[in-house]
Amino acid sequence: MAEPAKAPETPEKNNKKLFIIIGAVVAVLAIGGAAAFFMGGGKKEKAPEGAKVEAKAEGGEHGAPAKEGGEGGAAMGGTIYPLEPFIVNIYDGQELRYLKIKVEFEMANPQAKAELDAKLAPLRDAILILLTTKTMQEIQDLQGKNQLREQILAAVSKVVPPSKITKVYFTDFVVQ
């Protein structure tokens, strides 16, 4: 009992199967690569924040010694005091605009936080009054922003001793 002989496949059918298989493999690889890229596989992994702080404590960035009480000290000691954002109207000569600004203070030492917490309302009031006196022309360039930073530091120094706050940072500054 002989098996019936199968007809050999033509080369045309073999090529079709080969193209379909190769096409499917390429499609799967492309979809997998795109998924990995969009899911974060294409980005460098960030070190946990704790590791970053430890690196600065040991020797700062790029092997340089950490600065005492300066930028390295702020990262190590957590001496930044953030305020809630301010939203005020400012005048630009033709119409009223909105200024949204988020201010953060660098404290001389972590113990100053308790005093700033106790005087939060007068601090916010002094900054709010100062901001409402500004015009668009006064704050639109870098020089104006730096001047505003100095004026905020001066206004805050009237509420708390000047030695408590060493720097003023703008972490959000939007005019609309």
Side-chain angles (χ1 to χ4, degrees), residues 77-89:
T79 57
I80 299 295
Y81 187 84
L83 295 176
E84 292 294 319
F86 294 89
I87 300 175
V88 297
N89 294 323

Side-chain angles (χ1 to χ4, degrees), residues 5-17:
K6 290 185 179 177
E9 292 184 1
T10 63
E12 193 174 292
K13 280 189 174 182
N14 283 340
N15 285 343
K16 270 188 175 178
K17 284 183 181 178

Side-chain angles (χ1 to χ4, degrees), residues 15-94:
N15 285 343
K16 270 188 175 178
K17 284 183 181 178
L18 184 62
F19 284 130
I20 290 173
I21 291 171
I22 290 174
V25 169
V26 168
V28 167
L29 289 175
I31 291 171
F37 178 76
F38 286 116
M39 299 291 264
K43 297 179 184 176
K44 291 182 182 177
E45 285 192 43
K46 292 183 178 180
E49 257 186 65
K52 193 176 210 178
V53 171
E54 289 173 19
K56 283 189 177 187
E58 288 175 9
E61 291 183 6
H62 309 294
K67 296 179 183 176
E68 294 292 321
E71 294 168 335
M76 286 179 2
T79 57
I80 299 295
Y81 187 84
L83 295 176
E84 292 294 319
F86 294 89
I87 300 175
V88 297
N89 294 323
I90 58 171
Y91 189 67
D92 79 349
Q94 297 171 339

